[in-house]
Amino acid sequence: MRSHYCGGINESHIDQEVTLCGWVHRRRDHGGVIFLDLRDRDGIAQVVFDPDTPESFAQADRVRSEYVIQIKGRVRHRPEGTENAHMATGQVEVLGYELELLNEAATPPFPLDEYSDVGEDVRLRYRYVDLRRPEMLNRLRFRSRVTSYLRNFLDGHGFMDVETPILTRATPEGARDYLVPSRTHAGSFFALPQSPQLFKQLLMVSGVDRYYQIAKCFRDEDLRADRQPEFTQVDVEASFVREEDIMNTMEQMIRNLFQDLLSVELPEFPRLPYAEAIRRFGSDKPDLRIPFELVDVADLVANVDFKVFSGPANNPKGRVAALRIPGGGELTRKQIDDYTNFVGIYGAKGLAYIKVNERAKGIEGLQSPIVKFLGDDVALAIMDRVEAQDGDIVFFGADKASVVDEALGALRVKIGHDLDRVEGDWAPCWVVDFPMFEEDDDGKLHALHHPFTAPVSAEELQSNPAGALSRAYDMVLNGTELGGGSIRIHEEQTQQVVFESLGIGKEEAREKFGFLLDALRFGCPPHGGLAFGLDRLVMLMTEAGSIRDVIPFPKTQNATCLMTDAPGEVDEKQLRELNIRLRKSAKDQQEGSN
């Protein structure tokens, strides 16, 4: 139906006849001459209709925004002075002499001729209209280019594209599974995969050697701007590799991707041990563009009478840390109160601070309600340790280490952006030397990544599992985890030890993971891999505010689809076929008894 895309018309087509199809982006009537901006996925072309072609002119006169039309016409230069340097097609226009109306359109729920600040709920309810906006189409086009590039890179490095099952069994990978009831096996359920983790390991046992997949994954968890219940990851696994083999190949892939698609030369990828990342930045995905760091001061406040500080300082699971903001002394009381409310989101009970007015005056040059509780010597020692200068402000976190890390780590990033202290455009790194496990308040161990991650030392795993390090590695960019991976366990005995450390007995391990344990006995090679969050990667590269802006049909913050009204109820017949009976809510039970 078309000879060209609208965005492809240029000066090389002068005097050629073209046929274009698309949506009416804008209609303008200028003194008897009608201008239609015709839009398709590749761009916009200006089409001119004049009264010399009465039939098409009449058609053009009745079309409105978002009508679907086909036009035929001749490409010509725009009249001198009317060129549009901001449009790819801004040097030319099409003199239209035929117009066919293919479909009318209701008035759009929001304007598409320019960006409008419409609520996200409206955008998601009418997503098929929202996706027509050039901004959204360009992101989808860019996403397609990213996936195509990654496939070509991995194909060229010997990786084989293999699909793994979507219907599988529930496995503990850190989040709740989406369950699918089985009609043919009453009372049994499939689970949608949180990742292809076990299947890609089995592919290594199978001799595939190098595997990749653009994989759909599902997690039933609370959502944030960078999370969705269903998401896409670039999944990679290879045999007979060490950490450096995987990390170097994946780093090369991301470097090449940024260079070829964005003309960006990424800086060096420093290796940052997990413990150092937490100590300096309060996060295992630090934004290295922010020049502020956390400094431990627990030893300085351990003996003060101020229990808010001395309590955590003397608690093995506590932390007292300071965050110096150069020039932050100009922050107002209201700004400080806002930051206090902000850290409260992460469980902090407050936000102590000291403003540094004039260091040369000693304690008299400090301004803070907590100085009198610390004592002169301690307050000045803290200023020395953080290297405070005149005009600075020093914030403090004192609580459980996890609370201090999250609260001050998030505050560091927020203030960095608020005060425009972000240095550089891109700051990648690798975070390495993760602990094998994290311990909850009850002393129970949980896998920090997943229970199939190999330990650095099998002996340490046996003797001191809580202190054992793993062979895991995360790629981080601008404070976002792009991908995480590890060398996997390839021996049955080591896998059993990990299960035991997690409180999974032999009988439970056999029931849940018998197929994996058996596979490890049949000649499993050393192997490892990594999975990139494709949605996050595209979000960063397009500077979108949320992964919802780079996913065609995303869910809302509460995991619903406003467009299709999913999830929805099913009828009783389907439930009976699946051997499912719904429990009545307390309200339904009360209404039924009345």
Side-chain angles (χ1 to χ4, degrees):
M1 294 180 68
R2 59 157 66 99
S3 64
H4 298 77
Y5 280 97
C6 296
I9 302 300
N10 56 49
E11 291 175 287
S12 70
H13 301 103
I14 296 294
D15 291 329
Q16 292 183 24
E17 180 180 284
V18 296
T19 303
L20 305 178
C21 296
W23 289 262
V24 176
H25 189 64
R26 186 184 294 113
R27 176 190 175 278
R28 307 184 303 281
D29 190 337
H30 289 180
V33 178
I34 296 176
F35 293 84
L36 298 182
D37 288 344
L38 189 63
R39 185 192 71 243
D40 62 19
R41 73 170 199 184
D42 277 8
I44 295 175
Q46 177 172 284
V47 186
V48 183
F49 292 91
D50 60 43
D52 293 342
T53 53
E55 186 176 343
S56 60
F57 184 84
Q59 283 280 62
D61 188 48
R62 64 180 292 260
V63 301
R64 295 294 180 265
S65 293
E66 300 309 304
Y67 277 30
V68 185
I69 64 174
Q70 178 194 59
I71 69 99
K72 290 183 181 180
R74 179 174 57 83
V75 181
R76 67 183 186 183
H77 281 289
R78 291 195 185 193
E80 187 175 350
T82 65
E83 299 92 342
N84 187 343
H86 300 293
M87 290 178 62
T89 61
Q91 301 301 312
V92 298
E93 63 186 14
V94 178
L95 177 61
Y97 44 74
E98 289 185 26
L99 187 155
E100 181 180 353
L101 177 61
L102 301 176
N103 205 351
E104 296 183 357
T107 301
F110 46 85
L112 277 76
D113 57 343
E114 59 186 19
Y115 179 74
S116 56
D117 190 18
V118 65
E120 189 181 46
D121 57 338
V122 178
R123 290 177 54 204
L124 294 182
R125 188 173 299 279
Y126 299 97
R127 188 61 161 187
Y128 42 84
V129 175
D130 186 43
L131 290 177
R132 293 181 192 171
R133 293 193 294 117
E135 178 184 33
M136 297 300 293
L137 280 174
N138 287 338
R139 285 174 181 160
L140 292 187
R141 181 184 293 107
F142 187 85
R143 182 184 176 115
S144 177
R145 292 176 62 197
V146 169
T147 55
S148 178
Y149 187 93
L150 296 178
R151 285 185 187 278
N152 289 336
F153 180 93
L154 293 167
D155 287 340
H157 283 72
F159 289 86
M160 187 186 304
D161 185 358
V162 183
E163 293 183 350
T164 54
I166 291 295
L167 293 177
T168 179
R169 67 170 296 143
T171 56
E173 290 198 40
R176 289 181 293 273
D177 290 306
Y178 277 102
L179 299 178
V180 180
S182 170
R183 180 182 59 82
T184 54
H185 300 276
S188 295
F189 293 81
F190 294 104
L192 302 181
Q194 295 185 35
S195 80
Q197 181 61 45
L198 294 181
F199 285 104
K200 67 180 181 179
Q201 289 190 238
L202 295 175
L203 287 172
M204 297 304 100
V205 181
S206 305
V208 168
D209 191 74
R210 290 193 166 201
Y211 141 97
Y212 82 92
Q213 183 182 186
I214 310 290
K216 270 287 189 181
C217 303
F218 307 85
R219 294 181 184 177
D220 186 8
E221 59 185 349
D222 297 331
L223 306 183
R224 296 199 301 258
D226 59 348
R227 287 187 179 176
Q228 280 279 291
E230 57 177 310
F231 57 95
T232 306
Q233 67 184 36
V234 183
D235 211 49
V236 178
E237 198 80 6
S239 296
F240 304 107
V241 292
R242 298 184 177 89
E243 292 92 322
E244 287 299 317
D245 299 318
I246 291 288
M247 293 167 71
N248 289 341
T249 301
M250 296 298 98
E251 183 176 322
Q252 180 188 353
M253 182 175 75
I254 295 300
R255 280 188 177 281
N256 292 359
L257 176 70
F258 272 73
Q259 180 64 59
D260 287 11
L261 269 59
L262 296 180
S263 298
V264 167
E265 186 70 37
L266 289 176
E268 292 300 313
F269 283 64
R271 270 39 169 188
L272 194 63
Y274 170 87
E276 181 183 346
I278 295 295
R279 176 174 55 81
R280 294 173 58 191
F281 308 111
S283 172
D284 60 0
K285 43 183 181 293
D287 190 339
L288 300 184
R289 300 172 302 164
I290 310 292
F292 314 141
E293 295 191 15
L294 279 61
V295 177
D296 284 313
V297 295
D299 59 310
L300 299 178
V301 300
N303 297 317
V304 300
D305 292 331
F306 191 38
K307 298 302 182 184
V308 172
F309 278 18
S310 61
N314 290 286
N315 184 340
K317 294 185 178 181
R319 184 181 188 188
V320 184
L323 175 66
R324 178 175 75 92
I325 308 298
E330 296 181 357
L331 291 173
T332 66
R333 180 67 211 188
K334 181 183 184 307
Q335 288 174 304
I336 294 173
D337 288 343
D338 288 343
Y339 288 136
T340 302
N341 293 332
F342 175 76
V343 298
I345 298 171
Y346 301 90
K349 301 178 182 68
L351 183 62
Y353 68 91
I354 296 176
K355 283 189 175 183
V356 185
N357 295 329
E358 192 172 350
R359 287 228 48 196
K361 290 186 176 181
I363 202 69
E364 298 299 323
L366 305 182
Q367 176 187 345
S368 169
I370 68 166
V371 168
K372 61 185 177 183
F373 299 112
L374 297 176
D376 295 1
D377 291 344
V378 171
L380 293 175
I382 292 173
M383 296 302 103
D384 289 339
R385 179 166 294 181
V386 301
E387 300 179 354
Q389 305 294 322
D390 292 353
D392 293 351
I393 190 170
V394 181
F395 290 108
F396 296 90
D399 209 311
K400 291 191 299 185
S402 59
V403 172
V404 173
D405 295 339
E406 287 193 34
L408 286 190
L411 181 65
R412 166 185 173 270
V413 174
K414 180 168 177 57
I415 293 179
H417 285 279
D418 288 350
L419 301 186
D420 197 21
R421 302 288 183 83
V422 179
E423 298 179 352
D425 295 323
W426 303 101
C429 70
W430 286 101
V431 178
V432 298
D433 296 336
F434 283 86
M436 281 287 290
F437 309 106
E438 56 184 349
E439 192 173 351
D440 63 21
D441 293 337
D442 297 325
K444 185 177 180 181
L445 297 181
H446 302 271
L448 194 64
H449 275 74
H450 54 62
F452 318 110
T453 300
V456 169
S457 167
E459 292 75 17
E460 181 78 4
L461 177 65
Q462 285 271 16
S463 61
N464 180 27
L469 296 181
S470 70
R471 299 176 68 181
Y473 37 82
D474 283 1
M475 181 186 287
V476 176
L477 181 63
N478 292 1
T480 296
E481 178 196 328
L482 278 190
S486 67
I487 299 300
R488 323 301 187 187
I489 296 169
H490 68 280
E491 298 166 326
E492 181 188 14
Q493 182 179 0
T494 304
Q495 187 64 74
Q496 289 279 20
V497 173
V498 170
F499 286 154
E500 290 169 7
S501 300
L502 294 170
I504 301 174
K506 287 188 176 181
E507 185 175 334
E508 182 182 359
R510 171 55 55 181
E511 192 271 328
K512 290 183 176 178
F513 305 105
F515 63 96
L516 173 66
L517 295 172
D518 288 342
L520 297 181
R521 294 170 47 234
F522 284 91
C524 178
H527 62 283
L530 186 143
F532 288 103
L534 179 63
D535 311 306
R536 292 183 186 179
L537 176 60
V538 177
M539 178 186 73
L540 281 177
M541 296 182 76
T542 60
E543 299 183 357
S546 162
I547 62 171
R548 292 189 295 278
D549 284 335
V550 298
I551 297 174
F553 300 102
K555 305 294 188 293
T556 64
Q557 286 275 358
N558 61 353
T560 61
C561 175
L562 296 178
M563 186 180 66
T564 63
D565 234 5
E569 297 180 356
V570 297
D571 60 39
E572 284 294 330
K573 180 181 177 182
Q574 280 183 286
L575 292 176
R576 285 195 300 272
E577 289 176 343
L578 295 169
N579 299 288
I580 291 176
R581 177 181 297 166
L582 297 180
R583 295 176 60 184
K584 287 186 177 181
S585 67
K587 179 180 178 181
D588 290 338
Q589 291 176 354
Q590 184 177 3
E591 290 177 352
S593 61
N594 291 338

